Amino acid sequence: PMDKLTAFSNTSHPLTTAQEIVWIEQLLAPTSPRYNIGSIVCFDGLVDLQLFEKAIEDVVDQHDAMRLVLDADAPDLLPRQRLCKTVPTFLEHIDLSMHDDEADLRAKMLIDDVFKTPFTVFDQPLWRFIWIRISATRAYWVLCFHHLIADGISVSLIGNAVAETYRQLVEAPGVEGPDGLPAAVEALGPVGARHRVIAGEDLCVGH
């Protein structure tokens, strides 16, 4: 909610032409996840989650799109958007490590649900991040955005920015934590074998 957000000012701005198209099509199917987009990153190795969450917070501070919210009080059919100075940066944690051989299957079901769940589009950030722990050294990082603020390229850019920021935090002098980065972090990007950009429309087939 907006009482947890800090706005630069009371000024709101119209949607861009590209955003208007997405918004109008979303209105035609308000419960459809067609405009959810994001990626799944598999980590094999130790990750300092406290530093990882700090990396996310730093990237959110640097990228305006991560701090855009739609104004529910807009008088017209088309909403207006507001750039917030700060937004809550929340990485949801789900631990499936107790399920042993079923952990990966349960994770895939959870990930499917994440991308099939429509966003509540007003007065809150239009993204969600989830950390799914499979074992002590294996996890999935799920990044999900509304297409109003991201496309396939920006999804990869944001993922890479978090990875690079995390690298810098881990390698900072005096920091005690995992040595280097898990191999999967190195694979972040559009050609990474362990990094896949997916769109909500991929999940709408047959539904």
Side-chain angles (χ1 to χ4, degrees), residues 43 45 48 68 72 105 115 125 138 143 167 191 195 197 204-205:
F43 289 82
D48 185 322
L68 285 177
L105 177 60
F115 283 94
R138 181 177 171 83
L143 307 81
R167 185 199 311 277
V191 298
H195 175 272
V197 175
C204 292
V205 177

Side-chain angles (χ1 to χ4, degrees), residues 39 41 43 51-64 66 129 141 143 145 153-170 181 185-190 195:
S39 65
V41 185
F43 289 82
L51 290 181
F52 193 76
E53 291 187 42
K54 178 64 169 63
I56 291 173
E57 181 180 338
D58 289 350
V59 170
V60 169
D61 287 344
Q62 295 164 10
H63 289 262
D64 289 352
M66 303 286 286
F129 289 168
W141 176 33
L143 307 81
F145 305 81
I153 294 175
S154 55
V155 167
S156 293
L157 289 174
I158 289 170
N160 280 323
V162 172
E164 178 58 28
T165 303
Y166 176 77
R167 185 199 311 277
Q168 293 172 7
L169 291 171
V170 168
L181 294 173
V185 176
E186 305 290 351
L188 276 171
H195 175 272

Side-chain angles (χ1 to χ4, degrees), residues 15 19-20 22-23 35 68 70 121 126 146-150:
L15 300 182
Q19 287 176 314
E20 287 182 5
V22 172
W23 175 256
Y35 286 105
L68 285 177
L70 298 187
V121 294
L126 294 170
H146 197 287
H147 194 33
L148 282 165
I149 66 165

Side-chain angles (χ1 to χ4, degrees), residues 21-22 25-26 32-37 145-148 200:
I21 294 171
V22 172
E25 292 190 4
Q26 182 75 84
S32 170
R34 182 175 300 276
Y35 286 105
N36 289 3
I37 186 170
F145 305 81
H146 197 287
H147 194 33
L148 282 165

